[in-house]
Amino acid sequence: MRLFVLSDNTDTVTGFRLAGVEGMRVLTPEAARAAVSDVIANPDIGVLLITEKLAASIPDLIFELKLKLTGTLVIEIPDRHGTGRSPDSITKYIREAIGVNI
């Protein structure tokens, strides 16, 4: 099982390559869709890391993959510019999932 990273910036891809993780830089939503399709079609890749900004350009596809995909785990990661999530995003997910305000 291998990891693969998709990002819209060169620094993230380069950093992961230095850590031994293959990756690709994509700039358009169309290219991102094609790259995601190629990655999930490869049975050797078990984890797809995709930057939050790139994932935001194809939210419908990412949402569908997270719900239905069984062979590859899709994980959104922040890039060098930081996270796009709000500071209370985990609390929000818990509140939405189980209805408990923590």
XYZ file of all heavy atoms in Angstrom:
770
model
N 0.847 -1.176 0.000
C 0.000 0.000 0.000
C 0.894 1.241 0.000
O 1.814 1.362 0.793
C -0.906 0.016 1.221
C -1.736 1.267 1.284
S -2.928 1.328 2.623
C -1.880 1.548 4.027
N 0.597 2.142 -0.917
C 1.378 3.368 -1.031
C 0.502 4.590 -0.792
O -0.717 4.535 -0.892
C 1.970 3.474 -2.433
C 2.962 2.406 -2.747
C 3.615 2.607 -4.094
N 2.907 3.524 -4.965
C 2.787 3.355 -6.264
N 3.306 2.310 -6.847
N 2.145 4.242 -7.004
N 1.177 5.687 -0.490
C 0.530 6.993 -0.367
C 0.751 7.761 -1.661
O 1.748 7.558 -2.355
C 1.143 7.801 0.775
C 1.040 7.233 2.175
C 1.948 8.004 3.111
C -0.382 7.322 2.656
N -0.160 8.666 -1.969
C -0.014 9.553 -3.118
C -0.612 10.891 -2.735
O -1.659 10.940 -2.095
C -0.753 8.978 -4.337
C -0.365 9.639 -5.630
C 0.691 9.138 -6.373
C -1.039 10.747 -6.097
C 1.064 9.724 -7.562
C -0.677 11.358 -7.277
C 0.376 10.843 -8.019
N 0.053 11.988 -3.120
C -0.433 13.316 -2.776
C -0.778 14.099 -4.038
O -0.050 14.036 -5.025
C 0.584 14.095 -1.897
C 1.853 14.397 -2.642
C -0.024 15.369 -1.345
N -1.910 14.782 -3.995
C -2.318 15.714 -5.045
C -2.404 17.088 -4.423
O -3.028 17.265 -3.376
C -3.685 15.342 -5.620
C -3.753 14.097 -6.483
C -5.198 13.826 -6.898
C -2.876 14.219 -7.699
N -1.772 18.061 -5.084
C -1.757 19.420 -4.553
C -1.804 20.418 -5.696
O -1.452 20.099 -6.826
C -0.486 19.646 -3.733
O -0.414 20.977 -3.275
N -2.215 21.623 -5.368
C -2.205 22.695 -6.349
C -0.957 23.562 -6.200
O -0.817 24.557 -6.891
C -3.467 23.548 -6.226
C -3.608 24.164 -4.857
O -3.023 23.618 -3.900
O -4.305 25.177 -4.730
N -0.045 23.183 -5.302
C 1.193 23.954 -5.200
C 2.411 23.032 -5.154
O 2.362 21.927 -4.629
C 1.150 24.970 -4.050
C 1.561 24.454 -2.715
O 2.566 23.777 -2.584
N 0.787 24.787 -1.699
N 3.485 23.523 -5.726
C 4.705 22.743 -5.884
C 5.362 22.415 -4.553
O 5.917 21.326 -4.389
C 5.701 23.511 -6.777
O 5.043 23.839 -8.000
C 6.928 22.696 -7.089
N 5.297 23.323 -3.594
C 5.969 23.110 -2.313
C 5.451 21.873 -1.584
O 6.229 21.119 -1.002
C 5.812 24.335 -1.416
C 6.498 25.563 -1.981
O 7.453 25.397 -2.768
O 6.086 26.687 -1.646
N 4.164 21.676 -1.603
C 3.582 20.510 -0.924
C 4.032 19.215 -1.592
O 4.443 18.266 -0.921
C 2.047 20.610 -0.917
O 1.665 21.811 -0.253
C 1.424 19.420 -0.206
N 3.971 19.183 -2.909
C 4.390 17.981 -3.649
C 5.866 17.705 -3.398
O 6.255 16.561 -3.133
C 4.088 18.126 -5.156
C 4.650 16.959 -5.934
C 2.599 18.255 -5.391
N 6.687 18.740 -3.439
C 8.128 18.578 -3.213
C 8.408 18.080 -1.799
O 9.222 17.177 -1.597
C 8.867 19.905 -3.455
O 8.607 20.337 -4.794
C 10.361 19.753 -3.253
N 7.737 18.645 -0.821
C 7.924 18.200 0.562
C 7.578 16.733 0.757
O 8.305 15.996 1.414
N 6.488 16.305 0.170
C 6.115 14.897 0.288
C 7.074 13.995 -0.479
O 7.367 12.878 -0.044
C 4.666 14.680 -0.165
C 3.672 14.913 0.925
C 3.057 16.147 1.069
C 3.350 13.916 1.831
C 2.149 16.379 2.081
C 2.451 14.128 2.852
C 1.843 15.371 2.983
N 7.570 14.465 -1.612
C 8.557 13.660 -2.359
C 9.815 13.469 -1.541
O 10.425 12.404 -1.574
C 8.885 14.317 -3.697
C 7.824 14.079 -4.730
C 8.273 14.490 -6.106
N 7.176 14.295 -7.044
C 6.982 15.011 -8.108
N 7.824 15.977 -8.422
N 5.968 14.775 -8.906
N 10.224 14.498 -0.809
C 11.391 14.373 0.061
C 11.161 13.335 1.158
O 12.101 12.733 1.656
C 11.741 15.728 0.681
C 12.327 16.763 -0.283
C 12.427 18.122 0.397
C 13.689 16.316 -0.793
N 9.909 13.132 1.523
C 9.565 12.136 2.542
C 9.284 10.766 1.924
O 8.900 9.835 2.622
C 8.349 12.602 3.327
N 9.451 10.647 0.599
C 9.266 9.364 -0.061
C 7.859 9.101 -0.575
O 7.535 7.982 -0.927
N 7.029 10.133 -0.626
C 5.650 9.978 -1.090
C 5.530 10.573 -2.495
O 5.881 11.734 -2.708
C 4.652 10.692 -0.137
C 3.236 10.588 -0.659
C 4.764 10.107 1.263
N 5.062 9.765 -3.415
C 4.858 10.257 -4.776
C 3.727 11.276 -4.787
O 2.834 11.232 -3.938
C 4.481 9.112 -5.710
C 5.564 8.098 -5.943
C 5.087 7.018 -6.873
O 4.671 7.342 -8.003
O 5.122 5.859 -6.453
N 3.750 12.153 -5.785
C 2.698 13.140 -5.869
C 2.645 13.818 -7.216
O 3.483 13.596 -8.076
N 1.638 14.655 -7.361
C 1.427 15.369 -8.602
C 0.818 16.734 -8.301
O -0.012 16.860 -7.406
C 0.463 14.563 -9.489
C 0.159 15.200 -10.824
S -1.142 14.321 -11.739
C -0.600 12.647 -11.684
N 1.233 17.715 -9.072
C 0.658 19.057 -8.964
C -0.383 19.211 -10.061
O -0.106 18.945 -11.225
C 1.751 20.100 -9.136
C 1.248 21.514 -9.063
C 2.413 22.483 -9.189
N 1.913 23.834 -9.267
C 2.293 24.702 -10.181
N 3.194 24.374 -11.077
N 1.788 25.917 -10.193
N -1.565 19.627 -9.690
C -2.636 19.885 -10.648
C -3.207 21.270 -10.378
O -3.294 21.694 -9.237
C -3.748 18.806 -10.612
C -3.236 17.486 -11.129
C -4.299 18.627 -9.225
N -3.582 21.959 -11.450
C -3.975 23.349 -11.293
C -5.448 23.631 -11.560
O -5.960 24.650 -11.108
C -3.114 24.228 -12.212
C -1.626 24.186 -11.908
C -0.845 24.993 -12.938
C -1.345 24.696 -10.512
N -6.121 22.769 -12.293
C -7.520 23.035 -12.639
C -8.419 21.947 -12.058
O -7.963 20.823 -11.825
C -7.713 23.069 -14.167
O -7.434 21.771 -14.700
C -6.811 24.107 -14.808
N -9.684 22.259 -11.853
C -10.612 21.229 -11.375
C -10.707 20.034 -12.336
O -10.808 18.896 -11.881
C -11.948 21.965 -11.271
C -11.576 23.391 -11.067
C -10.323 23.590 -11.867
N -10.633 20.289 -13.623
C -10.693 19.195 -14.598
C -9.484 18.274 -14.459
O -9.618 17.049 -14.482
C -10.774 19.745 -16.027
C -12.021 20.537 -16.327
C -11.986 21.969 -15.777
O -10.887 22.518 -15.531
O -13.081 22.529 -15.573
N -8.306 18.867 -14.305
C -7.095 18.077 -14.114
C -7.145 17.321 -12.786
O -6.680 16.186 -12.693
C -5.866 18.976 -14.172
N -7.726 17.951 -11.767
C -7.858 17.294 -10.464
C -8.770 16.078 -10.565
O -8.466 15.018 -10.017
C -8.385 18.275 -9.424
N -9.891 16.218 -11.255
C -10.807 15.084 -11.439
C -10.109 13.930 -12.157
O -10.235 12.773 -11.757
C -12.044 15.507 -12.218
C -12.999 16.362 -11.430
C -14.216 16.770 -12.251
N -15.055 17.681 -11.506
C -15.915 17.296 -10.577
N -16.064 16.031 -10.290
N -16.633 18.195 -9.931
N -9.371 14.251 -13.207
C -8.663 13.215 -13.960
C -7.593 12.545 -13.102
O -7.459 11.315 -13.108
C -8.049 13.819 -15.215
N -6.851 13.338 -12.336
C -5.797 12.791 -11.481
C -6.374 11.911 -10.379
O -5.842 10.833 -10.097
C -4.968 13.924 -10.879
N -7.465 12.338 -9.763
C -8.108 11.537 -8.722
C -8.586 10.211 -9.313
O -8.386 9.141 -8.719
C -9.275 12.305 -8.062
C -10.126 11.375 -7.212
C -8.741 13.446 -7.212
N -9.177 10.246 -10.484
C -9.638 9.016 -11.137
C -8.480 8.067 -11.401
O -8.601 6.854 -11.190
C -10.350 9.344 -12.451
O -11.511 10.079 -12.202
N -7.354 8.608 -11.868
C -6.176 7.766 -12.120
C -5.650 7.140 -10.834
O -5.281 5.970 -10.802
C -5.067 8.582 -12.788
C -5.403 8.976 -14.213
O -6.336 8.380 -14.803
O -4.723 9.878 -14.751
N -5.610 7.938 -9.769
C -5.073 7.448 -8.499
C -5.953 6.348 -7.917
O -5.456 5.302 -7.493
C -4.903 8.602 -7.487
C -4.615 8.078 -6.092
C -3.798 9.547 -7.946
N -7.263 6.554 -7.900
C -8.124 5.538 -7.286
C -8.230 4.284 -8.148
O -8.597 3.223 -7.647
C -9.524 6.087 -6.932
C -10.278 6.527 -8.173
C -9.423 7.192 -5.907
C -11.718 6.912 -7.914
N -7.867 4.386 -9.424
C -7.861 3.207 -10.292
C -6.625 2.340 -10.059
O -6.601 1.175 -10.448
C -7.932 3.634 -11.754
N -5.615 2.898 -9.417
C -4.382 2.163 -9.148
C -4.538 1.367 -7.849
O -4.634 1.944 -6.776
C -3.211 3.140 -9.034
C -1.875 2.456 -8.890
O -1.782 1.302 -8.489
N -0.828 3.183 -9.215
N -4.531 0.024 -7.931
C -4.747 -0.780 -6.724
C -3.591 -0.723 -5.724
O -3.757 -1.103 -4.566
C -4.921 -2.194 -7.267
C -4.239 -2.180 -8.593
C -4.370 -0.784 -9.127
N -2.431 -0.237 -6.142
C -1.283 -0.151 -5.235
C -1.378 1.045 -4.290
O -0.706 1.086 -3.271
C 0.019 -0.034 -6.025
C 0.340 -1.307 -6.784
O -0.127 -2.384 -6.369
O 1.051 -1.216 -7.799
N -2.186 2.035 -4.639
C -2.300 3.247 -3.815
C -3.449 3.072 -2.831
O -4.602 2.914 -3.219
C -2.497 4.496 -4.689
C -1.271 4.684 -5.589
C -2.727 5.723 -3.815
C -1.386 5.788 -6.592
N -3.122 3.104 -1.548
C -4.115 2.895 -0.507
C -4.611 4.165 0.145
O -5.682 4.199 0.733
N -3.804 5.240 0.044
C -4.174 6.502 0.676
C -3.906 7.647 -0.299
O -2.787 7.798 -0.797
C -3.375 6.751 1.984
C -3.764 8.080 2.611
C -3.588 5.610 2.969
N -4.937 8.428 -0.566
C -4.800 9.624 -1.386
C -4.870 10.835 -0.471
O -5.875 11.060 0.208
C -5.918 9.707 -2.431
C -6.048 11.039 -3.171
C -4.781 11.354 -3.953
C -7.260 11.033 -4.075
N -3.782 11.597 -0.430
C -3.745 12.854 0.319
C -3.996 13.969 -0.687
O -3.327 14.040 -1.715
C -2.373 13.041 0.970
C -1.904 11.916 1.889
C -0.442 12.110 2.253
C -2.766 11.862 3.120
N -4.961 14.812 -0.416
C -5.281 15.914 -1.309
C -5.390 17.187 -0.493
O -5.981 17.186 0.594
C -6.574 15.631 -2.113
C -6.850 16.734 -3.139
C -7.760 15.391 -1.217
C -7.910 16.375 -4.160
N -4.778 18.259 -0.971
C -4.809 19.508 -0.205
C -6.235 20.051 -0.151
O -7.028 19.855 -1.067
C -3.860 20.561 -0.806
O -4.168 20.756 -2.178
C -2.410 20.142 -0.648
N -6.530 20.720 0.941
C -7.891 21.231 1.166
C -8.340 22.173 0.056
O -9.486 22.115 -0.389
C -7.963 21.956 2.503
C -7.838 21.034 3.683
C -7.748 21.765 5.006
O -7.398 22.963 5.030
O -8.018 21.129 6.029
N -7.441 23.023 -0.407
C -7.807 23.970 -1.457
C -8.154 23.245 -2.757
O -9.125 23.592 -3.429
C -6.659 24.953 -1.688
C -6.977 26.043 -2.673
C -5.822 27.022 -2.793
C -6.093 28.038 -3.885
N -4.945 28.903 -4.105
N -7.385 22.227 -3.099
C -7.669 21.463 -4.312
C -8.961 20.666 -4.156
O -9.783 20.607 -5.067
C -6.498 20.539 -4.645
C -6.583 19.788 -5.964
C -6.673 20.766 -7.132
C -5.380 18.887 -6.133
N -9.158 20.074 -2.991
C -10.387 19.326 -2.737
C -11.612 20.239 -2.805
O -12.679 19.815 -3.253
C -10.318 18.639 -1.378
N -11.453 21.487 -2.399
C -12.570 22.443 -2.448
C -12.972 22.770 -3.879
O -14.089 23.221 -4.114
C -12.198 23.715 -1.702
N -12.084 22.528 -4.833
C -12.421 22.800 -6.232
C -13.234 21.665 -6.855
O -13.818 21.839 -7.919
C -11.156 23.047 -7.054
O -10.418 21.856 -7.245
N -13.275 20.507 -6.171
C -14.068 19.364 -6.656
C -14.833 18.715 -5.495
O -14.718 17.518 -5.250
C -13.167 18.326 -7.374
C -11.975 17.917 -6.495
C -12.707 18.818 -8.721
C -11.171 16.752 -7.017
N -15.625 19.491 -4.770
C -16.249 18.975 -3.543
C -17.202 17.817 -3.778
O -17.281 16.904 -2.950
C -16.984 20.191 -2.979
C -17.239 21.055 -4.159
C -16.056 20.844 -5.066
N -17.927 17.818 -4.884
C -18.874 16.729 -5.156
C -18.152 15.397 -5.312
O -18.581 14.381 -4.766
C -19.720 17.051 -6.387
C -18.870 17.342 -7.624
O -17.765 17.914 -7.472
O -19.313 16.999 -8.737
N -17.041 15.384 -6.025
C -16.286 14.151 -6.228
C -15.669 13.668 -4.917
O -15.749 12.481 -4.590
C -15.202 14.364 -7.283
C -14.285 13.173 -7.542
C -15.092 11.965 -8.033
C -13.207 13.541 -8.538
N -15.073 14.567 -4.164
C -14.447 14.189 -2.890
C -15.489 13.631 -1.925
O -15.260 12.601 -1.274
C -13.702 15.389 -2.272
C -12.563 15.854 -3.189
C -13.190 15.063 -0.883
C -11.505 14.808 -3.456
N -16.640 14.269 -1.838
C -17.705 13.801 -0.951
C -18.157 12.400 -1.353
O -18.296 11.507 -0.508
C -18.875 14.779 -0.987
C -19.997 14.414 -0.071
C -19.873 14.586 1.299
C -21.175 13.889 -0.570
C -20.902 14.231 2.159
C -22.213 13.538 0.279
C -22.073 13.710 1.651
N -18.356 12.182 -2.647
C -18.793 10.872 -3.139
C -17.748 9.795 -2.847
O -18.084 8.689 -2.418
C -19.052 10.952 -4.640
C -19.534 9.649 -5.231
C -19.780 9.745 -6.733
O -19.935 10.864 -7.256
O -19.798 8.685 -7.369
N -16.475 10.123 -3.055
C -15.415 9.151 -2.798
C -15.323 8.790 -1.323
O -15.134 7.632 -0.971
C -14.070 9.688 -3.282
C -13.910 9.833 -4.793
C -12.575 10.477 -5.117
C -14.053 8.507 -5.493
N -15.450 9.785 -0.455
C -15.377 9.514 0.979
C -16.525 8.614 1.433
O -16.365 7.815 2.353
C -15.384 10.819 1.774
C -14.070 11.557 1.718
C -14.125 12.795 2.571
C -12.796 13.492 2.638
N -12.817 14.664 3.507
N -17.672 8.736 0.796
C -18.819 7.915 1.171
C -18.773 6.510 0.592
O -19.138 5.553 1.255
C -20.123 8.584 0.723
C -20.580 9.795 1.509
C -21.862 10.353 0.898
C -20.802 9.450 2.969
N -18.336 6.382 -0.663
C -18.512 5.127 -1.385
C -17.239 4.341 -1.666
O -17.314 3.145 -1.911
C -19.226 5.397 -2.711
C -20.603 5.974 -2.521
C -21.269 6.239 -3.832
C -22.655 6.850 -3.605
N -23.287 7.223 -4.853
N -16.094 4.971 -1.659
C -14.864 4.308 -2.053
C -14.404 3.342 -0.969
O -14.360 3.688 0.203
C -13.779 5.358 -2.321
C -12.544 4.890 -3.056
C -12.910 4.409 -4.465
C -11.540 6.015 -3.156
N -14.064 2.125 -1.379
C -13.623 1.141 -0.400
C -12.138 0.800 -0.525
O -11.542 0.337 0.423
C -14.431 -0.166 -0.539
O -14.287 -0.661 -1.864
C -15.897 0.075 -0.226
N -11.527 1.030 -1.668
C -10.141 0.629 -1.867
C -9.110 1.659 -1.458
O -8.013 1.327 -1.045
N -9.449 2.926 -1.555
C -8.498 3.999 -1.279
C -9.094 4.966 -0.266
O -10.224 5.394 -0.418
C -8.162 4.769 -2.579
O -7.690 3.853 -3.563
C -7.093 5.809 -2.337
N -8.309 5.309 0.737
C -8.727 6.287 1.738
C -8.369 7.681 1.232
O -7.235 7.926 0.820
C -8.003 6.010 3.060
C -8.278 6.954 4.220
C -9.742 6.908 4.624
C -7.381 6.593 5.386
N -9.324 8.593 1.228
C -9.106 9.967 0.766
C -9.043 10.881 1.986
O -9.987 10.939 2.774
C -10.233 10.424 -0.188
C -10.012 11.866 -0.628
C -10.331 9.500 -1.391
N -7.918 11.591 2.121
C -7.709 12.461 3.273
C -7.355 13.859 2.786
O -6.438 14.023 1.982
C -6.571 11.934 4.175
C -6.888 10.532 4.655
C -6.321 12.884 5.338
C -5.766 9.869 5.405
N -8.078 14.853 3.284
C -7.771 16.248 2.971
C -6.742 16.756 3.971
O -6.887 16.550 5.179
C -9.025 17.106 3.052
C -10.042 16.777 1.987
C -11.295 17.618 2.117
O -11.173 18.854 2.282
O -12.389 17.028 2.071
N -5.715 17.409 3.446
C -4.643 17.931 4.294
C -4.455 19.425 4.032
O -4.722 19.903 2.932
C -3.310 17.187 4.050
C -2.877 17.336 2.594
C -3.419 15.729 4.456
C -1.472 16.861 2.299
N -3.995 20.180 5.026
C -3.670 21.586 4.782
C -2.377 21.673 3.978
O -1.566 20.746 3.999
C -3.490 22.168 6.181
C -3.189 21.006 7.049
C -3.834 19.798 6.423
N -2.186 22.771 3.266
C -0.922 22.974 2.573
C -0.075 23.981 3.345
O -0.379 24.282 4.506
C -1.139 23.392 1.117
C -1.813 24.746 0.968
O -2.039 25.419 1.986
O -2.110 25.128 -0.170
N 0.938 24.512 2.713
C 1.860 25.415 3.419
C 1.212 26.720 3.857
O 1.745 27.435 4.693
C 3.078 25.711 2.568
C 2.787 26.537 1.346
C 4.041 26.704 0.492
N 3.741 27.446 -0.703
C 3.979 28.737 -0.850
N 4.542 29.411 0.127
N 3.666 29.351 -1.965
N 0.047 27.013 3.315
C -0.651 28.232 3.700
C -1.555 28.025 4.912
O -2.232 28.942 5.340
C -1.484 28.765 2.526
C -0.653 29.101 1.340
N 0.229 30.157 1.315
C -0.541 28.496 0.136
C 0.834 30.199 0.146
N 0.392 29.206 -0.591
N -1.582 26.816 5.433
C -2.407 26.525 6.596
C -3.700 25.836 6.218
O -3.932 25.478 5.074
N -4.535 25.670 7.186
C -5.788 24.965 6.988
C -6.890 25.912 6.544
O -6.888 27.084 6.896
C -6.211 24.218 8.267
O -7.385 23.480 7.990
C -6.456 25.143 9.418
N -7.817 25.381 5.793
C -8.964 26.168 5.371
C -10.152 25.968 6.292
O -11.220 26.518 6.076
N -9.959 25.169 7.312
C -11.044 24.864 8.247
C -11.147 25.931 9.328
O -10.179 26.567 9.684
C -10.791 23.522 8.923
C -10.747 22.378 7.979
C -10.513 21.110 8.743
N -9.963 20.121 7.820
C -9.215 19.123 8.178
N -8.900 18.968 9.445
N -8.768 18.283 7.288
N -12.335 26.033 9.864
C -12.511 26.949 10.979
C -11.881 26.323 12.231
O -11.742 25.108 12.322
C -13.995 27.222 11.208
O -14.662 26.033 11.564
N -11.522 27.140 13.214
C -10.867 26.611 14.413
C -11.709 25.578 15.180
O -11.176 24.727 15.849
C -10.635 27.849 15.281
C -10.700 28.996 14.351
C -11.600 28.586 13.228
N -13.031 25.646 15.058
C -13.879 24.704 15.797
C -14.471 23.630 14.878
O -15.529 23.086 15.161
C -14.994 25.454 16.518
C -16.003 26.060 15.556
O -15.654 26.291 14.388
O -17.148 26.288 15.977
N -13.769 23.277 13.804
C -14.333 22.346 12.826
C -14.597 20.957 13.418
O -15.613 20.342 13.112
C -13.429 22.230 11.606
O -12.165 21.714 11.966
N -13.730 20.475 14.281
C -13.950 19.146 14.871
C -15.153 19.179 15.799
O -15.973 18.270 15.792
C -12.681 18.672 15.597
C -11.576 18.563 14.580
C -12.940 17.399 16.370
C -10.502 17.593 14.804
N -15.267 20.225 16.578
C -16.428 20.367 17.461
C -17.711 20.418 16.639
O -18.714 19.825 17.020
C -16.306 21.653 18.288
O -14.956 21.869 18.639
C -17.101 21.580 19.555
N -17.653 21.104 15.525
C -18.815 21.216 14.649
C -19.215 19.837 14.104
O -20.393 19.487 14.078
C -18.500 22.165 13.492
C -19.606 22.324 12.495
C -19.158 23.241 11.366
C -20.033 23.041 10.165
N -19.475 23.628 8.961
N -18.224 19.041 13.680
C -18.522 17.703 13.167
C -19.168 16.831 14.244
O -20.117 16.102 13.979
C -17.257 17.012 12.648
C -16.717 17.604 11.374
C -15.367 17.840 11.228
C -17.550 17.932 10.308
C -14.856 18.389 10.062
C -17.056 18.482 9.147
C -15.705 18.703 9.027
O -15.210 19.237 7.878
N -18.663 16.913 15.460
C -19.232 16.118 16.555
C -20.667 16.555 16.824
O -21.568 15.737 16.972
C -18.358 16.243 17.829
C -17.009 15.573 17.592
C -19.079 15.635 19.037
C -15.999 15.850 18.679
N -20.882 17.861 16.868
C -22.215 18.391 17.115
C -23.187 17.934 16.031
O -24.314 17.527 16.314
C -22.160 19.920 17.204
C -23.454 20.580 17.593
C -23.308 22.079 17.849
N -22.529 22.805 16.852
C -21.330 23.364 17.084
N -20.785 23.280 18.270
N -20.698 23.988 16.133
N -22.769 17.970 14.764
C -23.624 17.544 13.664
C -23.862 16.037 13.672
O -24.956 15.567 13.348
C -23.034 17.972 12.325
C -23.068 19.459 12.078
C -22.338 19.861 10.819
O -21.776 18.989 10.120
O -22.324 21.072 10.518
N -22.839 15.279 14.028
C -22.937 13.815 13.970
C -23.784 13.234 15.095
O -24.614 12.353 14.861
C -21.543 13.197 14.001
N -23.567 13.716 16.322
C -24.266 13.093 17.447
C -25.151 14.055 18.225
O -25.817 13.653 19.177
C -23.266 12.400 18.407
C -22.260 13.379 18.975
C -22.572 11.256 17.709
C -21.340 12.787 20.007
N -25.139 15.319 17.855
C -26.023 16.273 18.502
C -25.598 16.713 19.876
O -26.396 17.201 20.658
N -24.299 16.553 20.196
C -23.801 16.954 21.509
C -22.919 18.173 21.328
O -22.015 18.178 20.500
C -23.007 15.812 22.164
C -22.374 16.275 23.456
C -23.897 14.606 22.405
N -23.172 19.205 22.099
C -22.362 20.400 22.058
C -21.267 20.296 23.111
O -21.557 20.245 24.296
C -23.234 21.635 22.300
C -22.523 22.915 21.970
O -21.421 22.892 21.409
N -23.140 24.033 22.298
N -20.018 20.251 22.669
C -18.920 20.139 23.631
C -18.093 21.401 23.660
O -18.104 22.193 22.796
C -17.992 18.931 23.335
C -17.443 19.013 21.906
C -18.735 17.656 23.547
C -16.403 17.968 21.620
